[in-house]
Amino acid sequence: MIATKGLTYRYHSKKGVLSHEIVFPDLAVDRGESFLLLGNSGSGKTTLLHLLGGLLRPLTGKIEIENVDIASLSETELDRMRGRQIGFVFQRNHLISALTVKNNLLMAPFLAGEKQHEERVDLVLDELGLREKKNAMIFELSQGQAQRVAIARAIINKPSLILADEPTSALDDKNCDQVIELLNKVAMENNAALIVATHDHRLKSRLKNQIIL
């Protein structure tokens, strides 16, 4: 489903003089599989996730999603592929506070150039136990509820790949358990590959496939 080979990335200082190159291990994740990227701050977890999602371009190496080399895609094609095949879950949920939960979710298919189906919104919210919050404003939600809405937005387009960046580090133990359980559940139900990048060691026992950076 997604595979990398010989992937490297170079960080530049603000003045563009100093640079640091990081070499990433090769990985291959099939649909229905889950991987945990573990590492301390600065180890390159978020960078790798952004490379996998096409948000950054590698210095060297190859990234294939469904046997397509994403480096061969134009920016327009890459945007379309991201919208239709990749679901992102970030530590900061980036939800639009001026919109309701429903309209936040409907934004995802709209931005991907897909049709908006309110019944799909209802189904996803039911999966995540949020149906009663459908018409709530984002500021009315608890932290855990907002993170679940962010997960709902990530899967609304039925992606084949879910990338989660530090989805639990700001949550207490109860919400941490709930969020990782939900991520595993929705990935399996949607037959999607799941890659979680974190320094949260509470997740080590929850995802058996692990890469240490």
Side-chain angles (χ1 to χ4, degrees):
M1 193 274 125
I2 184 168
T4 69
K5 187 173 181 61
L7 208 59
T8 67
Y9 185 78
R10 179 172 292 163
Y11 302 97
H12 293 279
S13 72
K14 291 182 180 180
K15 294 182 179 180
V17 178
L18 301 175
S19 65
H20 169 63
E21 186 175 312
I22 185 168
V23 179
F24 295 103
D26 295 345
L27 62 85
V29 185
D30 289 327
R31 279 178 173 266
E33 286 189 331
S34 299
F35 263 81
L36 186 66
L37 301 177
L38 274 172
N40 296 323
S41 296
S43 62
K45 302 184 306 298
T46 295
T47 299
L48 178 54
L49 224 58
H50 288 182
L51 288 167
L52 298 179
L55 297 174
L56 293 174
R57 297 281 189 174
L59 177 66
T60 64
K62 191 173 185 179
I63 303 169
E64 289 189 346
I65 296 178
E66 301 284 28
N67 297 314
V68 174
D69 182 356
I70 67 173
S72 69
L73 302 177
S74 68
E75 289 301 322
T76 299
E77 291 170 331
L78 195 53
D79 284 342
R80 188 179 300 117
M81 183 272 291
R82 272 195 298 263
R84 294 176 178 176
Q85 291 186 254
I86 302 177
F88 288 94
V89 182
F90 299 104
Q91 182 178 4
R92 296 181 180 179
N93 56 55
H94 301 296
L95 298 170
I96 303 172
S97 59
L99 298 180
T100 63
V101 168
K102 178 185 78 173
N103 287 331
N104 265 276
L105 299 191
L106 288 174
M107 281 291 291
F110 172 77
L111 293 173
E114 299 287 309
K115 290 184 178 180
Q116 296 170 301
H117 297 291
E118 192 166 334
E119 60 270 23
R120 173 64 179 164
V121 170
D122 292 340
L123 178 63
V124 170
L125 290 177
D126 278 341
E127 281 185 40
L128 300 180
L130 288 168
R131 183 67 174 270
E132 75 283 359
K133 297 296 183 181
K134 176 181 175 180
N135 296 309
M137 302 300 291
I138 297 301
F139 66 82
E140 298 176 309
L141 305 178
S142 69
Q143 188 179 34
Q145 288 169 338
Q147 190 67 321
R148 279 188 281 158
V149 173
I151 294 171
R153 182 185 57 190
I155 65 168
I156 195 75
N157 291 342
K158 300 180 181 179
S160 55
L161 173 64
I162 300 171
L163 301 175
D165 187 15
E166 300 286 5
T168 61
S169 61
L171 301 177
D172 60 25
D173 287 348
K174 180 180 178 181
N175 281 312
C176 171
D177 288 342
Q178 187 176 52
V179 163
I180 195 60
E181 183 177 329
L182 286 169
L183 281 170
N184 272 318
K185 177 175 177 284
V186 298
M188 286 189 293
E189 289 178 351
N190 289 275
N191 193 31
L194 170 65
I195 301 177
V196 180
T198 189
H199 67 271
D200 189 346
H201 288 269
R202 293 176 297 179
L203 303 188
K204 289 184 71 174
S205 62
R206 305 300 296 271
L207 295 174
K208 64 179 182 179
N209 299 315
Q210 299 177 9
I211 295 175
I212 309 297
L213 297 181

